[in-house]
Amino acid sequence: MKLELINADPLKPRIVLTEFPVIVGLDPDADVCLDDSSLGHYQCMIDQSDGTLMVWDLGTKLGTSINGVRVAKKAPLACGDELTVGRNRFVVHYEDGQAKPPRRAEQPLSDGRRKHRPSTGHRRQPAIPAQG
């Protein structure tokens, strides 16, 4: 599965994600490090769950929003959603059409994930500008 985050600011690059989970934040050790002082060191996590991409807010002050609605714990990402991470706004685009349509009801974390930075056990994935 490939997820493309298209920045609302056309001067900023698109971010293409192909490996999950991905931690987004201000910290240089985050998988996707964004230059935004309003972010938490580890702002949110994007991961797959039953063929749907989900975003988890990691307990940050400013929070993470989808279509203007703050994510309390986790929420599904659908193609066309606007994901706001700090002062960064992205439009979600699935590259391969493999993602299931998400259920819109927010569900509480029931899988034991922690609100602080989880150990993902994988190497850092740099932001890759999209082609075209």
Side-chain angles (χ1 to χ4, degrees), residues 5-20:
L5 299 176
I6 303 168
N7 204 306
D9 179 348
L11 299 177
K12 293 184 179 179
R14 296 175 180 191
I15 298 172
V16 177
L17 305 173
T18 58
E19 296 179 23
F20 301 95

Side-chain angles (χ1 to χ4, degrees), residues 20-31:
F20 301 95
V22 173
I23 303 292
V24 179
L26 177 63
D27 196 285
D29 287 333
D31 300 308

Side-chain angles (χ1 to χ4, degrees), residues 18-98:
T18 58
E19 296 179 23
F20 301 95
V22 173
I23 303 292
V24 179
L26 177 63
D27 196 285
D29 287 333
D31 300 308
V32 176
C33 179
L34 299 174
D35 185 19
D36 179 350
S37 61
S38 71
L39 288 176
H41 287 278
Y42 304 106
Q43 181 80 19
C44 66
M45 178 175 67
I46 300 171
D47 199 2
Q48 294 181 68
S49 177
D50 297 323
T52 298
L53 286 174
M54 305 289 290
V55 63
W56 280 261
D57 180 72
L58 298 176
T60 58
K61 188 181 216 179
L62 187 57
T64 303
S65 300
I66 298 175
N67 301 324
V69 178
R70 187 167 176 161
V71 175
K73 294 187 183 204
K74 74 176 182 177
L77 286 173
C79 191
D81 279 349
E82 182 178 273
L83 174 65
T84 303
V85 180
R87 293 188 182 113
N88 297 274
R89 291 181 328 171
F90 299 100
V91 176
V92 176
H93 176 71
Y94 289 109
E95 284 285 313
D96 57 10
Q98 291 179 5

